[in-house]
């Protein structure tokens, strides 16, 4: 019995991670052999059981649905917790596990769905019978199994593979309904309606275009047709992604106030995805829905005769409505998809996975009082659904579980869910958001039934996401009350780490943020690093809108350690309409732009004050002086001379608590090469070129150690490598030995212990050649904000860069030191002239110092900005 049910392992896990070992030992399989008749009321389910069995330890049922039915018979008569013992193994779901109030605990007792840690709820089907495709060396095909009509994901031995993608084979010019192409190539492709255009945003940098609807978005739209050179895009995705209502009296301002009014950039596709003709790289796949065939081009070492190839089919694994006193423990939620983006609806992203939907949605959805016929409330857009969902739940628990290989968001706790917790779980390899709390469609309500409150998301590890909808966020918290997001570790993610609040954008037109019910939400003691690795204009903790009624009950962001931000943004981002937030006792460093920001005008009373916020007692590099700026209070913050000087107590307390740190070594998925890097940009000088890119954040159980940069042109290929550590410090690589006058394209691949990734999408071509020799101008707004022994050196990039983009800076100190400044912030702050910060330490108290800052390009070092400062005593 111990081997069959894994009870010894289960009790150990629960004792360590859940602190409930005594309870589960009393209700576990060992207890089934005891002469206690109460134990007979537990339910046992196994993949090898039978639904004609009674659901006992010796005769388990086979399906979760049958186990649920047995729970319904017993739940009304509980005299103790009722445990559904879910055996190790794979439970293949043909429909979601649907739960409602009948499946709840009662009389002070719970229903516990207890897995072993190796218990998988699987919403996919296995694809077998692979055969080589004649005339296509290396390509394999298999007939689609029963139930597989469509999917957006395919996994081989637990590793997500890439849907076939590549650059457009033609140039395109936008029209009112799509594009005019330079040739009729797309019209001759096998299934033009399967093709999806992807519009990746982020900041414009070097020759990288910004194609999204804001630096934080990545919309996707399918084609409706390709007829000759006319490409017609699917509706309503095309209009919802490319049209906006403009204020007639506010030039250049769209009514939704999120992203640009001019969507010209958003009309240029970054690349195409999901076409048979794009199958050209090992690790790519394509589902031909019309022919009912799956194609896959195996990576080196893969043997499809033995591989476990999984394709998700279900869009929900668990759909729970109105349950209470229910716990889910030791489960793996895996292999589910989300198909709406494959429909004409597409994925018209506004922010954090929320989209504009429906015919004419761009003209009315969430625009409320601002346009005739606008739907209310303001900014009520469509949330991407989670593959595991609880609505109107109470006292629901998810613990010691894994959410992975998912195609939507991971977990929804929404629509009136209360007094629940998510603790000790792993969220990774998820297409969109990780955990979604509450929503944005009911900013106020007269009844408690719809309020999401008193939820604790604590001691979870969220990493390696989002994998498909790259504007997603590991934890998204809408309009809620008394939620606690604490002691989580969030690392290696594509955009912001935590997002709280909504509805603050009207301050862009001098209107107050949307009134809402939020108050007493806490974001505390989290460890956040290596975030914003793909998109920009986000933060470690991002908040917008009104967070309470005063500083006493407004949002608290305390005790977090946040560092190593790649994209342009802030560590703690107080965005539009952000009101009554307290930012206290955090450790913040290595950010591109600002540790904390930004101050906004409070338009609620017309008095000209700023949104009330308190930034107090943080350890940061920003160095701002104490001040009261019309209600925005900054006081008692400490300049962090270097990360090693951060208070040990704060650092030790941030992130997973000791009993949960085993999550950091728990392997999810199979060992494989990493995902390819993204957003490659280049420029060239005489005899060489420079390349930058967004680093890999999905590395498949082995960290990236190197990047391989390959330049191709003139019939030859030149490659160079750079260590991941060097790239993190410099943010660019040089490729020498090139021929002047020859155009080169560049791809980048990532290496880890298991091999080399597929190459990235190629950067636009560049041609080496001599430059005139123009140096950059001097940095602007240069100044020093000193403490007794260090100074925060602040400056803006030069207005003119000369021949080439800025690669770094040089700081000199009058005590004889020269400090080289490099990193992604040196690159990404230049196009929009955002501020740079570095801390110079080892200064003497009460001493006057002279500093200079000069920009460095591939041409040379420009003139310096000079300034002085005196350290305090």
């Amino acid at each position: 019995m111990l081997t069959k049910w894994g009870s010894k392992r289960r009790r150990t896990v629960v004792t360590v991670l859940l602190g409930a070992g005594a309870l589960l030992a009393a209700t576990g399989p060992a207890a089934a052999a005891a002469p206690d008749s109460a134990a007979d009321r537990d339910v046992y389910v196994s993949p090898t059981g039978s639904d004609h069995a009674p659901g006992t330890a010796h005769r388990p049922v086979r399906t979760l649905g049958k186990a649920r039915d047995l729970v319904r018979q017993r739940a009304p008569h509980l005299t103790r917790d009722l445990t559904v013992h879910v055996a190790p193994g794979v439970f293949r779901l043909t429909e979601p596990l649907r739960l409602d109030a009948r499946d709840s605990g009662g009389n002070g007792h719970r229903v516990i769905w207890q897995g072993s840690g190796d218990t998988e709820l699987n919403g996919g089907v296995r694809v077998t019978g692979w055969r080589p495709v004649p005339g296509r060396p290396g390509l394999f095909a298999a007939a689609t199994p029963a139930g597989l009509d469509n999917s957006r994901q395919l996994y081989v031995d637990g590793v997500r593979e890439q849907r076939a993608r590549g650059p457009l084979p033609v140039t395109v010019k936008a029209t009112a309904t799509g594009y005019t192409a330079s040739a009729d190539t797309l019209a001759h492709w096998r299934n033009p309606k399967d093709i999806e255009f992807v519009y990746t945003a982020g900041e414009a940098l070097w020759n990288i275009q910004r194609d999204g609807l804001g630096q934080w978005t990545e919309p996707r739209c399918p084609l409706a047709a390709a007829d000759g050179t006319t490409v017609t895009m699917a509706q309503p995705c095309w209009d919802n992604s490319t049209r906006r209502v403009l204020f007639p009296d506010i030039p250049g301002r769209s009514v939704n106030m999120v992203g640009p009014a001019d969507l010209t950039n958003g009309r240029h596709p970054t690349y195409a995805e999901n076409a048979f003709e794009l199958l050209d790289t090992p690790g790519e796949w394509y589902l031909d829905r019309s022919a009912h065939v799956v194609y896959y081009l195996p990576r080196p070492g893969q043997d499809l005769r033995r591989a476990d190839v999984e394709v998700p089919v279900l869009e929900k694994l668990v759909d729970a409505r109105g349950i209470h006193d229910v716990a889910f423990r030791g489960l793996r939620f895996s292999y589910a998809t989300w198909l709406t983006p494959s429909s004409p609806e597409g994925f018209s992203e506004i922010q954090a996975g929320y989209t504009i939907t429906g015919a004419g949605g761009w003209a009315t959805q969430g625009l409320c009082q601002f346009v005739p016929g606008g739907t209310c409330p303001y900014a009520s857009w469509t949330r991407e659904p989670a593959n595991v969902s609880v609505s109107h739940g109470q006292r629901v628990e998810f613990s010691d579980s894994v959410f992975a290989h998912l195609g939507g968001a991971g977990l929804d706790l929404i629509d009136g869910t209360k007094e629940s917790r998510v603790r000790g779980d792993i969220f990774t390899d998820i297409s969109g958001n990780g955990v979604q709390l509450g929503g944005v469609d009911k900013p106020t309500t007269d009844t408690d039934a719809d309020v999401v409150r008193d939820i604790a998301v604590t001691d979870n590890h969220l990493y390696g996401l989002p994998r498909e909808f790259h504007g997603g966020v590991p934890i998204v918290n809408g309009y809620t009350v008394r939620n606690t997001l604490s002691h989580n570790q969030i690392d290696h993610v594509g955009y912001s780490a935590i997002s709280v609040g909504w509805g603050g954008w009207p301050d862009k037109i001098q209107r107050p943020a949307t009134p809402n019910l939020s108050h007493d939400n806490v974001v505390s003691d989290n460890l956040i690093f290596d975030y914003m690795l793909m998109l920009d204009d986000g933060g470690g903790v991002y908040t917008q809108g009104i967070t309470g009624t005063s500083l006493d009950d407004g949002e608290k962001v305390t005790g977090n350690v946040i560092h190593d931000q790649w994209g342009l943004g802030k560590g703690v981002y107080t965005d539009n309409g952000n009101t009554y937030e307290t930012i206290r006792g955090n450790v913040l460093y290595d950010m591109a732009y600002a540790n904390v920001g930004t101050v906004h005008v409070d338009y609620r009373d017309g008095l000209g004050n700023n949104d009330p916020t308190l930034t107090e007692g943080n350890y940061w590099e920003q160095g701002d002086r104490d001040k009261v700026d019309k209600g925005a209070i900054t006081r008692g913050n400490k300049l962090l001379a270097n990360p090693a000087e951060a208070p040990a107590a704060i650092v030790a307390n941030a992130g997973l608590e000791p009993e949960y740190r085993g999550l950091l070594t728990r392997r999810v998925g199979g060992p494989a090469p990493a995902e390819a890097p993204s957003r490659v940009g280049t420029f060239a000088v005489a005899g060489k070129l420079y390349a930058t890119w967004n680093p890999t954040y999905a590395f498949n159980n082995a960290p990236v150690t190197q990047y391989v940069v390959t330049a191709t042109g003139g019939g030859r290929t030149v490659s160079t490598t750079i260590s991941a550590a060097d790239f993190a410090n410099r943010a660019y690589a040089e490729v020498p030995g090139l021929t002047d006058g020859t155009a080169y394209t560049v791809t980048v691949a990532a290496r880890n212990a298991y091999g080399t990734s597929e190459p990235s999408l190629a950067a636009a071509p560049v041609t080496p050649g001599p430059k005139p020799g123009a140096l950059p101008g001097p940095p602007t707004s240069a100044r020093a904000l000193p403490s007794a022994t260090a100074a925060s050196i602040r400056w803006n990039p030069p207005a003119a860069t000369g021949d080439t983009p800025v690669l770094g800076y040089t700081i000199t100190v009058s005590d004889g030191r020269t400090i080289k400044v490099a990193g992604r912030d040196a690159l990404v702050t230049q196009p929009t002239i955002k501020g740079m910060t570095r801390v110079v330490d080892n200064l003497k108290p009460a001493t006057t110092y002279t500093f200079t800052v000069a920009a460095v390009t591939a041409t040379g070092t420009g003139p310096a900005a000079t300034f002085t400062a005196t350290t305090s005593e």
Side-chain angles (χ1 to χ4, degrees), residues 471-485:
V473 180
I475 303 177
V476 178
N477 187 93
Y479 297 128
T480 64
V481 172
R482 291 193 301 272
N483 284 355
T484 299
L485 316 177

Side-chain angles (χ1 to χ4, degrees), residues 674 699 702-708 721-727 749-755:
F699 40 78
V704 173
T705 56
Q706 279 186 326
Y707 291 99
V708 182
T721 61
I722 183 172
S723 72
D726 284 347
F727 178 71
R751 280 182 179 161
N752 67 7
Y754 301 116

Side-chain angles (χ1 to χ4, degrees), residues 246-320:
L246 300 181
F247 283 109
D249 55 344
I250 307 176
R253 174 58 63 194
S254 66
V255 173
N256 70 21
M257 295 172 278
V258 183
D262 180 2
L263 301 181
T264 302
N265 286 341
R267 293 190 182 195
H268 183 274
T270 309
Y271 62 93
E273 189 171 288
N274 199 37
F276 176 81
E277 289 76 8
L278 296 173
L279 268 172
D280 58 4
T281 303
E284 290 187 332
W285 67 278
Y286 171 68
L287 170 59
D288 189 330
R289 298 177 63 195
S290 61
H292 309 289
V293 175
V294 184
Y295 294 91
Y296 179 62
L297 192 58
R299 289 184 281 108
Q302 288 180 329
D303 184 349
L304 295 183
R305 294 171 300 175
R306 297 177 175 84
D308 175 23
V309 181
E310 302 274 351
V311 178
V313 173
L314 293 186
E315 296 185 79
K316 287 280 188 188
L317 298 173
V318 177
D319 188 3

Side-chain angles (χ1 to χ4, degrees), residues 26-44 55-57 74 77-85 109-110:
T27 60
D36 179 5
S37 61
D40 292 336
R41 288 199 294 270
D42 280 357
V43 176
Y44 293 80
T56 61
R74 303 170 192 191
H77 312 291
L78 292 184
T79 59
R80 62 168 180 83
D81 288 353
L82 170 61
T83 300
V84 182
H85 302 274
H109 304 293
R110 294 169 294 175

Side-chain angles (χ1 to χ4, degrees), residues 50 69 78 121 189 269 291 374 384 393 412 440 449 512 522 524 581 610 669 698 718 730 783 847:
S50 168
D69 294 343
L78 292 184
L121 277 61
W189 281 13
E384 68 185 22
D412 269 340
V440 302
V522 175
S524 65
E581 180 173 337
N610 290 323
V718 179
R730 293 172 52 187
R783 62 205 184 278
T847 302

Side-chain angles (χ1 to χ4, degrees), residues 557-589:
V557 179
T558 63
N560 303 283
V561 175
I562 306 175
H563 64 90
D564 286 285
Q565 170 188 304
W566 187 259
L568 188 64
K570 291 102 175 179
V572 179
Y573 195 159
T574 56
D575 204 2
N576 298 115
N578 181 253
T579 307
Y580 298 128
E581 180 173 337
T582 296
I583 304 158
R584 178 184 291 128
N586 304 282
V587 173
L588 310 168
Y589 60 93

